[in-house]
Amino acid sequence: MKGKMSTNMGNIVIDRDVLAKYAGTATMECIGIAGMASLNVKDGFAKLLKKENAGRGVNVYIVNNKLKIELHVIVAYGVSIRAVAQNVLENVRYKIEEFTGLGIESINVVVEGVRIMDED
């Protein structure tokens, strides 16, 4: 299903993959996020995705032109998971609403793992 909007000049259709990639990129911008996670269903392990594959760690559902977004993330060790998740929620909500004009029904942040970050 795709996100649809009607304007006075015509219709705008946004593919779900575009929404997922945008939400994944907005998530990766947040401090405390080590990366997006891709679950291997076969053995249940979370795999850290590279930045260009951030959309694969996002599930987007469109119901009555409202978005339900599920973000699978890996957080950096030593950060407040609650604070990071709240920051992700606010950033993704703002960016998706500004980018698409579609309303968001819910955003769920699923923490799939913790990673120790290299100090460079």
Side-chain angles (χ1 to χ4, degrees):
M1 178 155 237
K2 299 180 182 196
K4 296 180 184 177
M5 290 179 285
S6 295
T7 67
N8 60 350
M9 297 180 72
N11 294 322
I12 300 171
V13 179
I14 303 172
D15 191 85
R16 195 169 27 185
D17 290 339
V18 172
L19 296 169
K21 185 170 260 187
Y22 206 80
T25 303
T27 300
M28 295 284 290
E29 292 174 353
C30 296
I31 294 173
I33 294 293
M36 301 301 292
S38 173
L39 282 179
N40 182 343
V41 179
K42 190 168 81 174
D43 36 49
F45 289 111
K47 177 181 168 191
L48 184 67
L49 296 170
K50 294 183 180 179
K51 192 170 186 174
E52 57 271 5
N53 292 326
R56 288 185 46 215
V58 181
N59 295 328
V60 176
Y61 309 98
I62 303 168
V63 180
N64 298 328
N65 252 6
K66 292 269 190 181
L67 302 176
K68 289 184 178 185
I69 301 171
E70 189 173 278
L71 305 163
H72 296 268
V73 300
I74 297 175
V75 297
Y77 177 78
V79 299
S80 167
I81 293 174
R82 182 179 185 178
V84 170
Q86 186 64 39
N87 186 24
V88 167
L89 291 172
E90 292 170 5
N91 194 43
V92 170
R93 178 176 297 277
Y94 173 77
K95 295 237 171 152
I96 291 291
E97 285 178 345
E98 285 292 311
F99 176 65
T100 66
L102 295 171
I104 296 178
E105 185 172 311
S106 66
I107 300 174
N108 296 315
V109 178
V110 181
V111 178
E112 299 289 355
V114 176
R115 180 167 188 198
I116 297 173
M117 303 299 290
D118 296 328
E119 292 184 30
D120 294 321

